[in-house]
Amino acid sequence: MGKLNNPNQHLFIHCPCCGQATLVSSTKKSFFCSACKFVFYLNCAAAGIAVIVNEKNQLLVTRRKKNPARGSLDLPGGFAEPGESIEQSLIREIKEELDLDITHLEYLCSFPNTYPYKSVVYQVTDMAFICDVKSFETIKARDDIDKFYFLDLAGLDKDLFGLDSPKKVIEYYLCLSA
Ligand SMILES: [Zn+2]
């Protein structure tokens, strides 16, 4: 029954090992080659999300320049690169996207997410951290960020966010700080 849960079951058909069209999804994250017995895994990718709040209790949010959910609001962050800790990846992403320097970060929560990109559905483990930054003076939108805003946390509409994880992270953060 695992086959039915694999969101990429019709996409990967050729075995990356022997090259034959004999790959079938065997679980929600793996594919089995009936010819050479190779098993190909699409494991969860790790991603960091930053919760950055200014002195006016406003949340730093970004607008997505790219799909998925292009044009919707998002929280800053991104995927960990091979060899990085999740903290290192978040520090790098926040520098790349917004030119902000994180001085301190503290784990908040984690949620599963899916990230459809060029017809592959990537399974993601999103990890959110409450981040302090050195200063907001240098802030600018760059990389895959279109714009940024500081929005009042009180009464913030979660439906402005296109992806599931930022909604859940904000909900969690609001419950915690209520
Ligand atoms: Zn094979």
Side-chain angles (χ1 to χ4, degrees):
M1 288 304 287
K3 269 186 178 184
L4 300 174
N5 296 326
N6 190 323
N8 300 301
Q9 61 178 314
H10 301 299
L11 198 65
F12 296 102
I13 294 154
H14 291 90
C15 173
C17 190
C18 74
Q20 295 188 70
T22 43
L23 208 60
V24 288
S25 57
S26 48
T27 71
K28 60 185 171 185
K29 63 169 190 178
S30 69
F31 301 80
F32 176 72
C33 174
S34 56
C36 77
K37 315 297 181 203
F38 182 75
V39 182
F40 171 59
Y41 284 98
L42 267 180
N43 285 310
C44 291
I49 293 180
V51 174
I52 302 171
V53 176
N54 71 7
E55 64 290 346
K56 295 178 193 156
N57 204 33
Q58 294 170 319
L59 179 68
L60 174 56
V61 306
T62 56
R63 195 170 73 176
R64 298 180 60 81
K65 200 192 271 181
K66 294 190 211 162
N67 273 321
R70 182 161 68 101
S72 72
L73 295 188
D74 200 2
L75 290 173
F79 290 107
E81 296 284 344
E84 277 182 335
S85 71
I86 195 71
E87 291 90 342
Q88 286 169 335
S89 74
L90 195 53
I91 290 167
R92 175 186 51 72
E93 286 281 351
I94 298 310
K95 185 71 179 171
E96 285 173 5
E97 292 182 340
L98 294 157
D99 201 8
L100 293 177
D101 296 298
I102 292 177
T103 51
H104 179 257
L105 46 75
E106 194 176 313
Y107 178 75
L108 177 64
C109 59
S110 161
F111 292 103
N113 199 4
T114 55
Y115 193 90
Y117 186 71
K118 296 191 191 284
S119 53
V120 179
V121 178
Y122 294 93
Q123 311 278 354
V124 185
T125 305
D126 277 326
M127 287 163 259
F129 291 79
I130 299 173
C131 303
D132 296 329
V133 298
K134 196 157 78 182
S135 153
F136 288 108
E137 279 171 26
T138 53
I139 193 166
K140 56 183 85 73
R142 52 189 199 181
D143 202 29
D144 46 5
I145 298 245
D146 193 18
K147 280 188 173 161
F148 64 87
Y149 311 91
F150 286 96
L151 299 183
D152 290 337
L153 269 166
L156 184 62
D157 181 7
K158 293 186 299 291
D159 291 331
L160 298 172
F161 293 80
L163 300 174
D164 277 348
S165 275
K167 290 184 199 185
K168 289 178 185 161
V169 168
I170 291 165
E171 213 163 277
Y172 189 94
Y173 182 75
L174 287 174
C175 277
L176 202 72
S177 50

